[in-house]
Amino acid sequence: MSGGDKIDFEIRPSAAPVSAAERAAMVANPGFGRIFTDHMAIVRYAEGKGWYDARVEARAPLPMDPASAVLHYAQEIFEGLKAYPTPDGGVAMFRPDANAARFAQSAARMAMPVVPTELFLASLREIITIDREWMPDSEDGSLYLRPFAFASEVFLGVRPAMEYLYLVIASPVGPYFAGGVQPVSVWVSPDFTRAAPGGTGAAKCGGNYAAGLSAQAEAIAHDCEQVVYLDAVQRTYVDELGGMNVMFVMDDGSLVTPPLSGTILPGITRDSVLRLAERSGRAVQERPVGFDEWRTGAASGRIREVFACGTAAVITPIGTVRHPGGEFTVADGGPGEVTMGLRQELVDIQRGRADDPFGWVHRVR
Ligand SMILES: *Cc1c(COP(=O)(O)O)cnc(C)c1O
């Protein structure tokens, strides 16, 4: 497919969907990323032919040749976004156009073909429509959508592949934190970095996560839930968490977050929070924050609250900060007022309970 050509999905409903009773039992307590809907969207790509053979079909294992390029050189990218039930019984996605744009940027960085925005959005709409019944009806549930693409060409030479698959799978999810918003404890890794200038830090690719698993294990070994990465050059400035961006609330009420310098992932939640804060008159600064500034700001009271943000958990307060030299908390380490206020504002827009001044919410039905 070239340019804006339209591509329609052939719909092949599953011959053996999960029964309504079984589905209800699964969706009642879904956890995160554990259960999946009946269908998937799948589109093929070949060099010279473009995207073709778009289908929605029963979710099933993918037959793969052991020489498929992705298994060797990790040419793979993904996205993550949520669809929410709306108060009037409909379904809405939150900023899917932003995910489409980021997916295209990730593809460019990984020398992969771009999935056109229209195809990307259509694949999401098709999955939501066919698997609508999997949407949790709870106050805090949603349908997590996972678009991804990878090199499927059977070839061991090192160059961008000439064949790819693009898929979307969907997973009903509950609140990320059962029992309310809990602060996460973080480990500031002295050994591992996440991304260097010129690297793939701004691309949402599986390789970044693979490279972070040792650091995550180190965090767990230090009794922390998440890793904080410092910049790879000076080991001084705060980049982000393994899968969430980080924000600081200062004593003058301003919001400070590290800039998009190429080593951090441009989070859509990050962008949404910045724009909401600006809209309500809060000063916002994108600038480097040294780990020392964090530590001394916590001690002096200059920094009042710190939180992490990303699609899965939305906004999560950061509690204990542990590092090789000791540990500290910002204020009492509990959820701060500004943090929880921004969280509520964002969740209300996502769920169609508040006005949507930026046009972020896309109705599907
Ligand atoms: C996906 C991701 C985020 C958060 O991005 P959102 O669009 O807000 O979900 C932050 N950091 C990393 C490394 C990520 O992969």
Side-chain angles (χ1 to χ4, degrees), residues 78-81 99 102 144 194 201 203-205 208-209 240-245 264-271 309-312 314:
F78 68 95
E79 272 302 327
L81 72 159
N99 294 93
R102 188 170 65 190
Y144 182 80
R194 178 181 171 276
K204 209 166 175 74
C205 60
N208 287 343
Y209 280 73
E240 63 168 318
L241 274 57
M244 285 186 275
N245 297 115
I264 73 175
L265 201 285
I268 294 163
T269 316
R270 174 188 180 280
D271 182 70
C309 59
T311 295
V314 192

Side-chain angles (χ1 to χ4, degrees), residues 29 47 84 170 192 203 219 259 283 309 321 334 363:
N29 183 20
E47 194 72 32
Y84 299 88
F192 298 109
C309 59
V321 184
R363 292 284 303 214

